[in-house]
Amino acid sequence: MSRHRTLRTKVRRGIAGWPITIIGFVALLVLGWFGWQWIGDVVDQRAAVQAGDCNEGPAALKVAATPSVADAVRKVAQAWSAQRPVVYDHCISVEVLSSDSEVVLEGLTNVWDEEKLGTRPHAWITDSAVWANRLAAQRQSMIGSPPESIATSPVVLAMPQEAADAVQAGPGFRWTDLTTMASTGWDRFGKAGWGAFEIAMPDPAVNPGTAMALQAALAGAGPEPTGPVTADLLAQEPVKQAMAKLVAARPEQTTTSTWQAMAALAANPAVGSVGFSAVPAFEVDLYRHNTGAEDNRPAPATPLAGVAAQGVTPVADFPFTALSGEWVNEAQARAAQAFRTFLKAPEQRATLAAAGLRVEGVTERPSPAPGVAWAEVTDQLKPADAAATQQVTGAWATADNGQVVTVLVDTSQTMGEDGGGGRTRLDWVREALAGQVNRAVSGSVGLWEFGTGAGGDEAYRELVPTGSVGAQRQSLLDAVGRLKPRGETRPFEALVAAYEDVLADYRDGKRNRIVVITDGGADGDLSPADAKGRLEGLKVAGKDVGISVVVLGSGADGPGLFQDITKAFGGGTVSVVEDGSGVDAALGQVLAGR
């Protein structure tokens, strides 16, 4: 028995060889089949590319890139094109155009001039999220995918070497010091004989270096210096005072752009010889300026030095934004995503870094790099969101007391309809207007409403005459709070009347503007063409009145109704927000516009 049990045990523990042989053979067949299929697919794809048919034919991917990064992105595009990429059954070719961000934004949000700019881009690389935020504020539907950073560059203070040596030998500076450096002057750095320390601050609406330095300075005036700047923060008294001081400290002699300021400083390196001593600039732009990379200009005989701030530093993030619209097909949308992924591959990151950008995982810096120290950034400013970004530049534009704005609000019955978030359209407008009034440091604002029943027999009425926002802040807030929906929409009758009123009280030397907020559509006897004719008949030489419009609802008629009028008067814009939550940002963008 014992022997039998032992025999059974041995038999059970043994494994026959023939099943293993069969399983192995089958496995080899399966793996071989999958391998053959994979190889076949690769060969077929390569053959399709080499044959040039790609099933669905060729497709062009057009990328608009800010000049700071355009040359590097073009090199990456050439490397990608050399691989003959196929996306969505299309052979992809990439065209990279060097385009100023303000030009692209203007074209995307108004009328794209193909004769001047070529076809519209399918992707957009800007130097800062400021631009993507502005596009989102005016045309959220054009954002095809969330912007994604491909590189970074900190903001430095560009100045002649002698001035930079004095700053670095002294206590240095923080961006929060901008509000006091003008008052303390060069004495702060042991150079009392040099007089005032004035910093050029070109318009932040079109110069992101200024915009980001401004955010850092304002964040430092609040409870959290690392940011971000928010709408609530901008309404706090210490921050409003900081804004007022920064505006007051602007030098009388300044330039319209960062590049012009750097050129003036390099050509006149003696301290104070051009009316200012420094300008905020992206590190990569300073590198390009000093090496003559911008538009193939010769390098300056005397390069500028970039002084890094101590503490919190604003950093440009160079976002890649895939665009969306009727001109972008599925192949181009997918190609944009694929190209963005390729841009972030190790070899391509090295190409971007060689152009003076900072890229994750790459420590090598261009050499020589005159005037650029590549200082380490230890504390980075958290950037403002889309709404606050526009509010900062809008507050700056009105803080210099240079804007006279008359706001016309649609109070027709449809403004009482759902505007998103469980609130009506007019609820969102009231909140946005109240925020703008509370954040305003100076300037002049007036308020009208239009809609049948608004003013008895008239389809509109003036609620608060255009005047100093500081002197009538409460009256404006009270009037905003009383806005309610009623009757039909009569925008053009109100616009003509307001235009006459602005001309009658025109403020010379100021930016006189009309801003219309509506959900689109128009009732009444006055057509858009008739309104434009009436307005053109009222024009007075030397009295330019800009007209801009914010339209709620992507399906509204507003863009088409107002486009011709806004183009003809002061280069105004038509901003479209899909729901009421975008009104505040869009209004800030309009007020920040030139």
Side-chain angles (χ1 to χ4, degrees):
M1 296 289 293
S2 168
R3 185 178 177 184
H4 180 64
R5 285 196 299 271
T6 301
L7 180 61
R8 285 184 60 194
T9 300
K10 287 181 179 177
V11 171
R12 291 180 64 189
R13 290 180 179 174
I15 301 175
W18 63 269
I20 296 175
T21 302
I22 294 174
I23 292 172
F25 180 71
V26 172
L28 286 173
L29 286 175
V30 172
L31 290 173
W33 183 83
F34 278 113
W36 181 258
Q37 287 293 108
W38 177 79
I39 292 171
D41 288 344
V42 171
V43 171
D44 288 345
Q45 289 179 15
R46 289 181 178 174
V49 174
Q50 291 169 358
D53 52 25
C54 296
N55 297 330
E56 296 296 330
L61 174 66
K62 182 174 179 180
V63 180
T66 181
S68 303
V69 73
D71 289 341
V73 173
R74 193 173 289 115
K75 290 180 182 178
V76 174
Q78 291 169 352
W80 196 49
S81 296
Q83 297 184 5
R84 307 186 75 177
V86 178
V87 177
Y88 204 55
D89 293 330
H90 288 76
C91 294
I92 303 298
S93 61
V94 185
E95 180 183 7
V96 178
L97 298 179
S98 178
S99 306
D100 289 330
S101 295
E102 62 181 289
V103 174
V104 177
L105 180 68
E106 174 71 16
L108 290 173
T109 54
N110 285 284
V111 177
W112 187 269
D113 187 347
E114 289 200 0
E115 188 173 320
K116 178 181 178 182
L117 304 173
T119 57
R120 282 179 288 191
H122 311 110
W124 188 24
I125 303 175
T126 61
D127 45 27
S128 165
V130 165
W131 296 105
N133 285 344
R134 288 176 182 161
L135 178 60
Q138 295 186 65
R139 294 283 198 282
Q140 178 64 47
S141 61
M142 287 187 180
I143 304 294
S145 65
E148 187 172 325
S149 173
I150 62 167
T152 62
S153 187
V155 181
V156 298
L157 206 53
M159 60 181 70
Q161 188 64 57
E162 185 181 15
D165 290 342
V167 172
Q168 292 170 323
F173 86 101
R174 296 174 182 268
W175 289 110
T176 52
D177 296 335
L178 293 185
T179 56
T180 60
M181 285 167 69
S183 58
T184 57
W186 280 103
D187 185 48
R188 170 192 177 97
F189 303 103
K191 300 289 184 179
W194 288 359
F197 190 122
E198 294 186 303
I199 300 173
M201 297 287 278
D203 186 358
V206 291
N207 293 280
T210 302
M212 298 186 72
L214 185 57
Q215 283 190 32
L218 296 177
E224 185 48 69
T226 59
V229 173
T230 65
D232 290 340
L233 182 70
L234 289 171
Q236 294 179 13
E237 198 57 38
V239 177
K240 290 166 67 173
Q241 290 177 5
M243 175 72 82
K245 289 179 180 178
L246 286 167
V247 170
R250 288 182 309 168
E252 291 184 9
Q253 294 175 292
T254 189
T255 61
T256 58
S257 77
T258 302
W259 281 95
Q260 289 174 349
M262 288 194 293
L265 287 168
N268 304 275
V271 176
S273 60
V274 294
F276 53 88
S277 303
V279 62
F282 294 144
E283 180 184 67
V284 64
D285 286 341
L286 176 62
Y287 168 73
R288 289 170 56 77
H289 170 270
N290 286 347
T291 56
E294 176 65 12
D295 291 337
N296 296 314
R297 297 173 184 170
T302 305
L304 299 178
V307 180
Q310 299 169 353
V312 179
T313 299
V315 176
D317 56 353
F318 289 88
F320 182 108
T321 304
L323 299 175
S324 176
E326 74 280 357
W327 72 95
V328 184
N329 62 36
E330 185 67 23
Q332 290 159 336
R334 295 193 183 194
Q337 303 288 354
F339 183 55
R340 182 181 65 187
T341 299
F342 186 78
L343 272 165
K344 303 183 76 172
E347 289 185 9
Q348 318 320 321
R349 292 202 299 266
T351 300
L352 295 174
L357 294 155
R358 299 197 181 199
V359 187
E360 184 180 0
V362 182
T363 57
E364 293 82 4
R365 303 286 184 238
S367 181
V372 183
W374 310 110
E376 182 181 359
V377 176
T378 57
D379 204 358
Q380 184 172 327
L381 177 74
K382 297 174 185 175
D385 64 15
T389 296
Q390 316 321 317
Q391 291 156 359
V392 169
T393 49
W396 175 271
T398 58
D400 64 356
N401 202 32
Q403 283 209 86
V404 181
V405 183
T406 301
V407 181
L408 276 62
V409 180
D410 184 349
T411 54
S412 63
Q413 198 64 42
T414 53
M415 289 292 285
E417 295 177 0
D418 180 28
R423 307 171 66 186
T424 70
R425 295 168 178 170
L426 202 53
D427 286 338
W428 286 109
V429 172
R430 282 193 292 260
E431 180 180 277
L433 288 172
Q436 293 293 338
V437 171
N438 280 321
R439 291 187 295 269
V441 176
S442 59
S444 296
V445 177
L447 181 65
W448 291 42
E449 67 170 319
F450 60 89
T452 55
D457 294 335
E458 298 291 336
Y460 56 84
R461 65 171 171 167
E462 180 184 69
L463 300 176
V464 180
T466 303
S468 167
V469 68
Q472 57 184 22
R473 195 183 307 273
Q474 193 57 52
S475 296
L476 286 165
L477 292 173
D478 290 343
V480 167
R482 290 194 299 268
L483 292 173
K484 63 181 181 179
R486 69 184 103 211
E488 297 178 331
T489 304
R490 300 288 179 89
F492 297 115
E493 296 166 53
L495 181 55
V496 171
Y499 189 82
E500 289 182 294
D501 187 75
V502 171
L503 286 176
D505 193 27
Y506 191 85
R507 318 288 174 86
D508 290 324
K510 308 292 184 182
R511 205 166 8 170
N512 295 258
R513 314 181 63 188
I514 296 174
V515 177
V516 180
I517 305 175
T518 180
D519 62 0
D523 303 307
D525 298 329
L526 198 59
S527 69
D530 291 338
K532 182 182 177 183
R534 293 265 298 272
L535 290 168
E536 288 178 334
L538 292 170
K539 275 186 175 181
V540 176
K543 293 186 176 183
D544 294 327
V545 179
I547 298 174
S548 292
V549 182
V550 176
V551 181
L552 285 75
S554 57
D557 297 329
L561 289 174
F562 287 96
Q563 200 79 64
D564 287 345
I565 291 176
T566 57
K567 284 176 59 181
F569 291 84
T573 61
V574 178
S575 303
V576 179
V577 294
E578 294 181 355
D579 60 46
S581 62
V583 174
D584 202 2
L587 188 55
Q589 167 68 14
V590 166
L591 295 177
R594 291 178 294 173

